[in-house]
Amino acid sequence: MDQSPTQISELEEAALFYHRYPRPGKLEIQATKPLGNQRDLALAYSPGVAAPCRAIADNPDLAADFTSRGNLVAVVSNGTAVLGLGSIGPLASKPVMEGKAVLFKKFAGIDVFDIEIDAKEVDRMVDVISALEPTFGGINLEDIKAPECFQVEARLREKMNIPVFHDDQHGTAIIVAAAVRNAMEFTGKDISKVKIVASGAGAAALACLNLLVSLGASLENIWVTDLAGVVYEGRAELMDEWKSKFVRKTDKRKLGEVIDGADIFLGVSAGGVLKPDMVARMADRPLILALANPNPEIMPEQVAEVRDDAMMCTGRSDYPNQVNNVLCFPHIFRGALDVGATTINEEMKLAAATAIAELAKEEPSEAAAQAYGGNTPVFGPTYLIPSPFDQRLILRIAPAVAKAAMESGVARRPIEDFEAYLDQLNRFVFRSGLIMKPVFAAAKLDAKRVIYADGEDERVLRAAQVLIEDGTAKPILIGRPSVLATRCERFGLHIRPGADFDFINPEDDPRYRDYVDELLCCVGRKGVTPEGARRLVRGNTTAIGALAVRRGDADALICGLDGRFDRHRMMIEQVIGRAAGVRALSTMSLLINASGAYFLTDTYVTDNPTAEEVAEMTLLAAGQIARFGITPKVALLSSSNFGSRNCDSSKKMRAAVDLLWNVAPDLEVDGEMHGDAALSEELRARVVSDSKLEGAANLLVFPSLEAANIALNLLKVMTDALHVGPILLGGARPAHILTPSVTSRGVVNMSAFAAVEAQAIGNAEQAAE
């Protein structure tokens, strides 16, 4: 769906703010070693630094051991072909290159210097970039126009002894190869016999075709078109040596003349060039790769009107089978850097394509299935390639690329223990901050109605726009329509009540009497009079939201941006109630920082829980952690470390562990222990030799509310952690009480989680029917 001018303006304004505050840009440099005293300084700089310098001078390969070079990539551009912007120059391209650097770091833990060079001539670019070899472990060329990009990459690959990778070409090609491979398998077609028609003959298109040839496609079956029409024998206009490989001896001159009987359409050109009547003339079960952005060569809806057997990929995130380069380039470099590869060759690219294709066919683990709300996509026409945010991508691509590098003889530091390597990658996945991605992906599969008690709050309104645009949830805002409309306009939002989202007007809603009667059913004879119930339904927005969820008018509730936590909790407990068998509600908070993702419980409800309550909240928290695709590893914390003290809280936590071992023997849980022992297997081993917990704990259970809440708020500030929560545990329906300090981003995160929780409850109820 195209954006309106208002949407574009709002998005641009938000993007400018994002890039400017709280400090300009998207990158910073941080020290990885302590510099706390004179000795640290002596080791980091003079005189200690001389030791690694001498070692590297004697053996250059040791640079990977003593410096950051082995994990450092240069993203290099001259700004001559910036996606969607054209030749804007090196300085204007810097935000894009910083963005690329952020993706490398976020998805693969690779450090990047973005380098924008004022050089358009091939010789100049080659001289500048090749001179950077001592600094970097790899070079990622970005947004350099054709044909210079071909020449620069080819010459750098000959001249340099580190990987040089033009992502605009090869990243797209690898994903396209994966999609084609799976489409051929699904349809039973032989790639050596299929007819391929391409629209576009730039860097990406030609790289795609070359890789498909490596995959087995026949040159005789490939037809290429560009701005000048069919690439035919004898054509002089817009020709070069790279296109010449695909010339055909033919009198056909236009795309429409060569599309008949095509099994694959590859579009890397411009929106709208493939017409529905052309699609109708393609072979049975065709694969259409319409990759122009933001407007594909043909929209999926247009294809569906003329063909019900077509498979389709686009470059857009709002349709299945998104061809997004982030699927592969961070993970390819991860594998290449980890073995000290001297290049990224065809074997490594094909290995990456195969790994991507195979991942789409993998049976998800139980944890992964729960992370997708139980609606995990199944291999087929709408799932030929995995989501760019599938956490398993790095676990499949990086090892495949590393092995291919080793087998093809370009690895200088072969991996000896692949099990240890996979464990290292697995640990990175849950330190990367990508933990919320599967939750958002699951929420979009079946958007649920989330009602907001604080609908007139700016944070909720901003969150609602994001949720609507992304299709994550269907917001219902409790608020006066005139106030909602005025504030949307004041805050520069394009959403409007009644048009873009539903609302409940507490001053005048046709369901008022029904809500009053429902409330009396819940709290009548519990100190609430009929008149009191009427006042609550007029003035207590949490009560209204809870009643909406109870009656089925909404699927989940978000409240708590104003007022005391306990007041909201009591209303939820009275109206929505507890799940069957649950003694008491509790909360869990998720903190995501540079060290990883940690869940803490109980951070907001029970002052001094009993051993039975600790065990219950632990089981509830462990169940919710599975929604993030994570296997819970539980540590019950105390001032005692495996019996070192005999205070009341340590006895309580000891008893809770015994209960958990009895009722949940498969749960990885141990205690009572100190906080440092919970995060270090080495420290635990010094105290006990038979711990039931392996590695670092990710669920920390505290003996009291005071301890949990203090720890939460200290860690949040001291480690600059993203807080997701609090997540209310034990409710009969999804309802979450946020805190007055929550940001609009926090509202979005909890809305996605609430939506996935609602999906799971709905699926369970359907299965029980």
Side-chain angles (χ1 to χ4, degrees), residues 95-112:
V96 179
M97 303 312 129
E98 283 190 355
K100 191 83 171 191
V102 170
L103 295 178
F104 266 106
K105 186 67 174 179
K106 199 72 171 175
F107 284 88
I110 295 171
D111 294 316
V112 166

Side-chain angles (χ1 to χ4, degrees), residues 431-449:
R431 289 199 308 269
S432 64
L434 297 177
I435 189 171
M436 286 299 297
K437 297 304 181 184
V439 175
F440 279 96
K444 292 178 184 180
L445 294 175
D446 180 17
K448 293 298 183 181
R449 301 163 300 166

Side-chain angles (χ1 to χ4, degrees), residues 520-724:
L520 282 171
C521 289
C522 301
V523 298
R525 297 179 180 268
K526 295 180 182 178
V528 177
T529 64
E531 181 57 33
R534 286 191 284 272
R535 285 197 302 271
L536 282 171
V537 177
R538 285 287 189 214
N540 188 318
T541 55
T542 297
I544 297 171
L547 288 163
V549 172
R550 178 185 172 90
R551 283 169 44 89
D553 297 335
D555 300 306
L557 166 66
I558 300 291
C559 62
L561 277 72
D562 181 52
R564 293 179 57 188
F565 187 95
D566 278 346
R567 180 171 64 87
H568 297 291
R569 179 186 58 80
M570 289 175 61
M571 184 56 64
I572 289 170
E573 194 159 8
Q574 288 177 328
V575 175
I576 295 177
R578 299 189 295 269
V582 173
R583 294 183 180 87
L585 300 180
S586 57
T587 58
M588 174 177 72
S589 290
L590 165 61
L591 289 180
I592 305 171
N593 59 25
S595 299
Y598 301 97
F599 298 86
L600 288 68
T601 192
D602 170 20
T603 48
Y604 278 92
V605 179
T606 307
D607 287 331
N608 186 21
T610 65
E612 290 75 15
E613 288 172 330
V614 169
E616 179 182 78
M617 68 177 65
T618 300
L619 290 173
L620 291 170
Q624 290 286 30
I625 289 173
R627 299 194 195 286
F628 295 93
I630 296 175
T631 300
K633 292 175 173 286
V634 190
L636 272 62
L637 304 182
S638 171
S639 59
S640 170
N641 202 28
F642 297 104
S644 64
R645 295 186 61 179
N646 261 327
C647 57
D648 289 342
S649 69
S650 64
K651 293 176 184 177
K652 173 174 66 178
M653 300 306 271
R654 239 173 272 157
V657 168
D658 286 337
L659 288 170
L660 289 166
W661 285 344
N662 286 327
V663 300
D666 294 331
L667 181 64
E668 198 172 325
V669 56
D670 211 339
E672 83 289 5
M673 69 180 79
H674 287 169
D676 55 356
L679 302 179
S680 170
E681 187 169 18
E682 181 182 354
L683 291 178
R684 279 199 307 280
R686 295 177 187 175
V687 184
V688 294
S689 60
D690 60 345
S691 177
K692 297 182 183 297
L693 176 63
E694 295 183 2
N698 53 33
L699 173 55
L700 307 176
V701 182
F702 293 83
S704 69
L705 172 62
E706 186 173 38
N709 194 266
I710 290 172
L712 167 68
N713 288 294
L714 279 175
L715 287 170
K716 184 167 61 174
V717 174
M718 292 173 67
T719 65
D720 192 26
L722 170 66
H723 178 212
V724 180

Side-chain angles (χ1 to χ4, degrees), residues 2 133 155 201 213 265 307 418 448 495 662 686 699 726:
D2 293 339
E133 183 168 352
R155 288 177 55 181
V213 170
F265 170 80
R307 299 293 294 260
F418 259 90
K448 293 298 183 181
I495 56 173
N662 286 327
R686 295 177 187 175
L699 173 55

Side-chain angles (χ1 to χ4, degrees), residues 461 480-490 493 495-497 501:
L461 291 166
R480 296 157 292 178
S482 60
V483 174
L484 294 172
T486 300
R487 292 188 177 179
C488 284
E489 189 171 353
R490 182 197 307 166
L493 306 176
I495 56 173
R496 293 295 182 269
F501 62 86

